[in-house]
Amino acid sequence: MFEALTLVASLTLFPGLVFVVALALFSEWYIRKMVARAQSRMGPAYVGPIGVLQPLADLLKLLTVKEEIRQKYASLGLAKAFVFTGIGAATASVLLLPLSPFRLTSPYDFLIYAYLCCVWVPLAMTMYGMSVPSPFTAIGVSRLLSLVAVIEPVYFASILVPITLTTHLYGPSCHAPFSIYCTSINSWRLWANPLTVTLMVLGLVAVLVSVQAKAMLQPFNIPEAEQEVIAGFATEFSGPLLALNNVLHDVDIAVTALFITYLYLGGPYPLPHTSLPGALILIAKYLLVLTLMVIVKASFGRFRIEQGVGTVLKYGGVPAAIAVVVASIIPLVH
């Protein structure tokens, strides 16, 4: 009974839906605020202290005030079902992290994370875009699929780097090899090991490039290019559907940044989550990941589709492939 209640609380409250959505809204505020500062603008400033509640106000306005426009060939119910599916998949993946009171851990459980966040989230975005069709939507979805076909394999390869290294080097101390938990509690050690630090740098560069594109932040905001194809796959969204689309987009960014914080930076480790220094270290590392994304977003204009695909392959695919291959042969020479 206690385990069932813990599971329900973990899925709904912490680190489940409530926590993930709150983290997503905070991440949106942080990105908007830091990009604005980098470009000598104010950014969110009026709702809440230093504008931190502006994303929540925008969400509530879309949900409760703005009209949801219906067109003849749209299936708004189907679109919302896919949005909820994507949010649910991203939220469920957080149970694999050491942060969760009800933690799911098993050998090769990184495949579960890849299935939830690298398959279901982009699939949900594609399907709810196609559920509200228009010429601009079709262009946006086609661009999204072109990017996803490159981004997700690169992202998958990049997260394999710390997972492979920790299993090979610290596997005897782990109950579950190739698991998110084993990697999270040991990845901080890889930065102090001269044998692995170069591979971690290559993997970190690759994962940051792929995440920038996965989040569709500049210069990879190609599927939703406002000045070019209006808003791409989200052109026909309005009211509550637009709000849910924004939530899924922000949740995807927050969950992905959180996994990078653990898989590459070790979360709070070697300190525990329950200590104040550990919690502060975890927050600082998470903000560091967001800050790196902000720097790239504020520094570049939008790429063309072929430029975006080429950049992901060059600066993400190549470093990730090199790092994974070398990480795989380390046990043979170690």
Side-chain angles (χ1 to χ4, degrees):
M1 183 65 178
F2 177 76
E3 288 188 356
L5 292 175
T6 304
L7 174 59
V8 172
S10 297
L11 283 172
T12 57
L13 299 177
F14 180 85
L17 185 62
V18 173
F19 171 76
V20 166
V21 172
L23 182 64
L25 294 176
F26 169 80
S27 301
E28 180 191 340
W29 168 82
Y30 184 84
I31 292 173
R32 288 172 59 182
K33 193 72 171 180
M34 293 301 104
V35 170
R37 290 300 185 185
Q39 298 174 346
S40 298
R41 297 184 288 107
M42 286 182 59
Y46 297 107
V47 183
I50 59 175
V52 71
L53 297 180
Q54 186 64 54
L56 177 61
D58 295 341
L59 175 64
L60 294 176
K61 183 177 180 179
L62 286 172
L63 286 173
T64 61
V65 178
K66 294 296 183 178
E67 179 185 2
E68 190 171 66
I69 300 175
R70 300 174 180 271
Q71 56 157 296
K72 182 177 180 181
Y73 299 104
S75 178
L76 299 184
L78 183 62
K80 291 176 183 177
F82 278 112
V83 176
F84 287 127
T85 300
I87 295 174
T91 301
S93 69
V94 182
L95 296 183
L96 298 169
L97 291 173
L99 184 69
S100 176
F102 188 94
R103 186 169 55 249
L104 302 177
T105 304
S106 66
Y108 298 93
D109 63 13
F110 76 94
L111 294 173
I112 299 175
Y113 168 65
Y115 175 69
L116 292 173
C117 289
C118 299
V119 175
W120 272 107
V121 172
L123 178 63
M125 291 181 177
T126 300
M127 295 307 296
Y128 72 65
M130 294 175 62
S131 299
V132 192
S134 79
F136 295 116
T137 299
I139 295 174
V141 169
S142 66
R143 291 182 174 188
L144 177 62
L145 289 173
S146 299
L147 283 176
V148 165
V150 176
I151 295 167
E152 299 302 343
V154 171
Y155 179 69
F156 180 77
S158 63
I159 65 173
L160 267 179
V161 176
I163 290 172
T164 303
L165 289 173
T166 53
T167 298
H168 288 330
L169 298 179
Y170 308 108
S173 64
C174 295
H175 298 293
F178 292 95
S179 68
I180 299 295
Y181 179 75
C182 178
T183 305
S184 299
I185 64 176
N186 290 297
S187 59
W188 62 275
R189 300 180 181 179
L190 300 174
W191 293 99
N193 188 335
L195 187 65
T196 58
V197 63
T198 302
L199 300 180
M200 289 294 285
V201 170
L202 289 175
L204 184 60
V205 170
V207 79
L208 289 175
V209 171
S210 61
V211 166
Q212 194 80 13
K214 187 178 172 69
M216 292 180 285
L217 299 177
Q218 287 175 310
F220 301 103
N221 57 333
I222 307 166
E224 51 184 15
E226 286 83 359
Q227 297 86 357
E228 186 179 348
V229 287
I230 313 303
F233 67 93
T235 298
E236 300 296 335
F237 294 175
S238 60
L241 181 57
L242 180 58
L244 294 174
N245 167 71
N246 295 344
V247 169
L248 176 56
H249 181 260
D250 293 341
V251 164
D252 190 27
I253 293 176
V255 170
T256 305
L258 192 60
F259 269 88
I260 294 174
T261 302
Y262 275 93
L263 295 180
Y264 269 93
L265 304 181
Y269 294 102
L271 299 178
H273 290 89
T274 52
S275 67
L276 179 60
L280 293 176
I281 289 175
L282 175 60
I283 294 171
K285 290 179 178 179
Y286 180 80
L287 292 179
L288 174 62
V289 174
L290 291 185
T291 301
L292 293 174
M293 297 170 68
V294 165
I295 292 172
V296 175
K297 175 178 171 63
S299 302
F300 291 90
R302 185 174 63 248
F303 286 163
R304 298 193 304 269
I305 183 65
E306 71 277 8
Q307 291 176 320
V309 170
T311 300
V312 173
L313 288 174
K314 182 177 180 180
Y315 297 103
V318 173
I322 294 173
V324 167
V325 170
V326 176
S328 300
I329 65 176
I330 276 183
L332 303 178
V333 298
H334 184 58

